[in-house]
Amino acid sequence: KIVRNAIALERARVFARDIAGGDPERMAPGKIVDYVKASFNDDSNISVTVIDNDEIIAQDYPLLAAVSRAANRVDRHKARVVEIEYKPSDIARVTETLMLVGKGVTYDTGGADIKISGKMAGMARDKCGAAAVAGFLKACSILKPPHLKVIGVLCLCRNSVGEDCYVADELLVSKSGKTVRVTNTDAEGRFAMADALYKMSEMALGELN
């Protein structure tokens, strides 16, 4: 059992490392989607749902859509929301549901509040939260805990700077209906995840906790 757990954790770590440490092109949002789908392709306990339609993202994840506006000209950098769900083979044995949301900013320029003086280097790793969520689901897919259901969401986008980037002082309406004022575009993580967190909080009402 110790060896099995160690192997599972190492495979999950490598999977998360590949996403987190991948450069901005090799692990752009579209490339992460491909990698995640390929990794879980043969696992009957895992389902992967990808939301990549611009209109659906604008409607259901409006704050994420705002962060992604400047990147939308390049297809591989467009925002994606990836929902990964683990269910044990016998769903009747589930006693607990774990719900996770991960920040997956594949490159963070800071947006209009651009990072300066060399502070942009390393910002390809601003997706470590999403990588950790994906890695946890990978461990679940190997260890297959019989009592646990896990729903993980990867909020993937690129915080680019350009003529259509979101800017400070904009007023955005979130999926929850709350109006949010942008004060700094380099605080994009909370925008990227807020609508997914709201959706998960609504889903949690119908799950075992």
Side-chain angles (χ1 to χ4, degrees):
K1 185 176 180 181
I2 293 175
V3 173
R4 175 173 172 264
N5 289 349
I7 291 172
L9 290 174
E10 178 61 12
R11 287 179 61 189
R13 185 193 68 81
V14 169
F15 181 54
R17 178 205 64 191
D18 288 348
I19 295 172
D23 72 67
E25 290 299 323
R26 292 179 66 189
M27 283 296 167
K31 299 291 184 66
I32 292 175
V33 167
D34 293 341
Y35 187 51
V36 168
K37 289 170 71 174
S39 179
F40 292 118
N41 186 47
D42 297 324
D43 195 317
S44 60
N45 295 109
I46 294 281
S47 62
V48 178
T49 303
V50 179
I51 302 167
D52 57 6
N53 180 279
D54 293 347
E55 292 182 4
I56 293 175
I57 288 179
Q59 177 181 320
D60 292 343
Y61 304 90
L63 301 185
L64 174 68
V67 174
S68 185
R69 268 189 348 224
N72 279 349
R73 292 176 178 272
V74 182
D75 185 68
R76 67 184 180 279
H77 294 311
K78 286 184 178 181
R80 272 85 164 172
V81 177
V82 183
E83 298 174 354
I84 310 171
E85 184 171 321
Y86 165 79
K87 288 181 182 178
S89 299
D90 185 359
I91 197 68
R93 296 182 65 186
V94 171
T95 59
E96 184 179 0
T97 304
L98 186 61
M99 310 178 87
L100 305 168
V101 176
K103 174 185 175 183
V105 179
T106 58
Y107 199 75
D108 182 15
T109 67
D113 290 296
I114 197 164
K115 296 178 186 291
I116 61 173
S117 303
K119 301 297 184 184
M120 204 182 296
M123 284 297 103
R125 295 189 293 275
D126 215 11
K127 55 189 182 304
C128 288
V133 171
F136 185 83
L137 267 298
K138 186 65 175 177
C140 290
S141 75
I142 300 167
L143 296 173
K144 302 193 183 302
H147 69 289
L148 191 63
K149 176 181 176 181
V150 183
I151 304 171
V153 178
L154 317 183
C155 301
L156 306 176
C157 65
R158 179 180 171 115
N159 189 17
S160 292
V161 61
E163 61 186 11
D164 198 29
C165 63
Y166 81 127
V167 297
D169 293 335
E170 277 193 51
L171 293 175
L172 305 171
V173 180
S174 68
K175 182 63 177 177
S176 70
K178 293 187 181 296
T179 300
V180 182
R181 181 185 293 275
V182 181
T183 58
N184 188 315
T185 63
D186 199 17
E188 80 294 331
R190 64 205 70 183
F191 286 94
M193 294 188 291
D195 295 312
L197 286 165
Y198 171 72
K199 180 179 178 180
M200 293 284 258
S201 70
E202 294 289 294
M203 289 174 59
L205 298 175
E207 298 289 344
L208 284 170
N209 292 292

